Amino acid sequence: MVDILLSTYNGESYLKELLNSVIEQSYQDFRLIIRDDSSTDDTLHIIRDYQMKYPQKIVFLEDTLGNVGVIASFDLLLHNSSSEYVMFCDQDDVWLPNKVELSVSKMHEAEKRWGNVPLLVFSDLRVVDATLHTQHESFWKVNKLKMPLATKFEFVCVANCVTGCTILMNSTAKMKVLPFPKGIPMHDWWIAGVVAKAGHLVPLCQTTILYRQHEMNVWGTKKVNAGYYIKRLFQLKQVWTEGKKLQPFLQALEFGGVGKYWYYKCIYFFLRRL
């Protein structure tokens, strides 16, 4: 059984497309657990409508905690997951029909190789615009993510290669990553760092999702050109301050200080461009 965790917030524009793509997966041994983070649009109505249509598939986790933010919301969802495997879901994407099936198959391969250690399967994404027109065929390629180099612990700590909406992790990994500590930049980065250190990140070198980019994205992708890096050279004080803000996150991962962070950041910058 796979628990698919979805945190929603004012997602009425694209939520139905996402829910349909999950419900229609070729692999059907799953349940979708949803928590809403105090939406003010029609999101709640959509969730309840789908829950009525698919009561065996959808669990709506209701609480009185209000708007806690995306990281804390996924922390709550993860604490309410009890299945052998866990996936994460974003409200505005579209899952390709065999996303769960491919991920589970890759996980079984990894389990045969490494046994019951923390394991996390993640895949490539097709980057699309708000109307699902393709912008980039490969998220990995446009972001120069070379596998398996990108999965090494030191490089994961300076540049996350794991996009949350592609994650499938086992229960051993789940127990390792909880609870989410304060000061982490994003839940998927924390999870990737913990599993990279304690177990294995397993790249699935296929596209499993249409990764929608629009004006309301909490987190997304952008193509960075040479001009961006030239500009950053003249903002070294700001850049160093940004690195210092990651100190609680780096300490929680037992990675080291900001100096080590920038050392590996520079090395990785060149290695991914060779």
Side-chain angles (χ1 to χ4, degrees):
M1 170 72 79
V2 177
D3 280 346
I4 301 172
L5 310 183
L6 169 61
S7 178
T8 58
Y9 179 70
N10 289 347
E12 65 177 5
S13 297
Y14 309 115
L15 184 56
K16 290 182 181 180
E17 283 182 284
L18 178 275
L19 292 174
N20 288 336
S21 72
V22 173
I23 292 295
E24 295 167 2
Q25 285 292 298
S26 60
Y27 186 97
Q28 283 289 305
D29 190 16
F30 72 83
R31 62 175 180 170
L32 177 62
I33 306 176
I34 306 174
R35 180 188 181 273
D36 184 72
D37 204 29
S38 295
S39 292
T40 56
D41 63 0
D42 205 34
T43 295
L44 284 172
H45 180 267
I46 294 170
I47 293 170
R48 291 192 173 107
D49 183 49
Y50 271 78
Q51 187 186 30
M52 288 181 62
K53 289 180 181 178
Y54 306 100
Q56 303 302 316
K57 287 294 183 187
I58 296 178
V59 177
F60 186 25
L61 182 64
E62 299 188 69
D63 57 47
T64 58
L65 298 174
N67 183 267
V68 299
V70 62
I71 297 174
S73 190
F74 272 115
D75 185 282
L76 289 165
L77 283 162
L78 199 52
H79 273 96
N80 280 274
S81 168
S82 58
S83 292
E84 184 179 6
Y85 303 116
V86 179
M87 302 184 81
F88 294 88
C89 193
D90 289 344
Q91 65 185 10
D92 44 11
D93 299 323
V94 173
W95 287 24
L96 298 183
N98 59 352
K99 181 181 189 298
V100 180
E101 182 180 1
L102 289 173
S103 299
V104 170
S105 177
K106 192 70 174 179
M107 175 62 76
H108 288 165
E109 291 179 17
E111 289 172 331
K112 288 179 181 178
R113 180 177 180 183
W114 288 298
N116 189 33
V117 300
L119 295 171
L120 185 156
V121 171
F122 66 104
S123 75
D124 202 351
L125 315 86
R126 184 187 306 161
V127 183
V128 298
D129 64 15
T131 58
L132 301 183
H133 289 103
T134 299
Q135 295 179 320
H136 305 290
E137 286 290 344
S138 170
F139 176 88
W140 289 1
K141 185 175 181 180
V142 76
N143 286 281
K144 295 181 171 58
L145 298 177
K146 296 181 179 179
M147 306 300 168
L149 175 71
T151 67
K152 295 184 180 299
F153 173 68
E154 290 81 6
F155 297 144
V156 171
C157 289
V158 301
N160 184 26
C161 64
V162 175
T163 309
C165 56
T166 72
I167 286 175
L168 169 72
M169 64 179 175
N170 63 3
S171 57
T172 310
K174 171 194 162 182
M175 290 186 290
K176 196 74 177 175
V177 304
L178 285 175
F180 295 165
K182 293 182 179 180
I184 61 174
M186 206 60 181
H187 63 283
D188 54 2
W189 198 355
W190 164 253
I191 292 169
V194 171
V195 177
K197 184 175 184 180
H200 299 279
L201 299 179
V202 185
L204 172 58
C205 300
Q206 292 177 251
T207 296
T208 66
I209 192 169
L210 305 183
Y211 189 43
R212 197 193 306 256
Q213 301 297 289
H214 55 89
E215 68 278 0
M216 297 300 290
N217 280 106
V218 174
W219 205 262
T221 186
K222 60 180 180 180
K223 193 168 185 178
V224 179
N225 56 28
Y228 169 83
Y229 292 108
I230 294 173
K231 180 181 178 181
R232 296 291 275 174
L233 284 174
F234 292 95
Q235 299 174 329
L236 291 180
K237 185 177 180 179
Q238 178 183 336
V239 169
W240 183 262
T241 301
E242 290 170 2
K244 287 183 69 175
K245 289 181 180 179
L246 291 173
Q247 189 64 55
F249 168 66
L250 299 175
Q251 287 179 341
L253 287 173
E254 299 179 348
F255 171 80
V258 178
K260 184 177 179 181
Y261 169 84
W262 282 113
Y263 172 77
Y264 278 101
K265 188 84 169 177
C266 292
I267 290 176
Y268 189 45
F269 174 84
F270 291 105
L271 286 179
R272 67 200 293 187
R273 286 163 177 79
L274 290 178

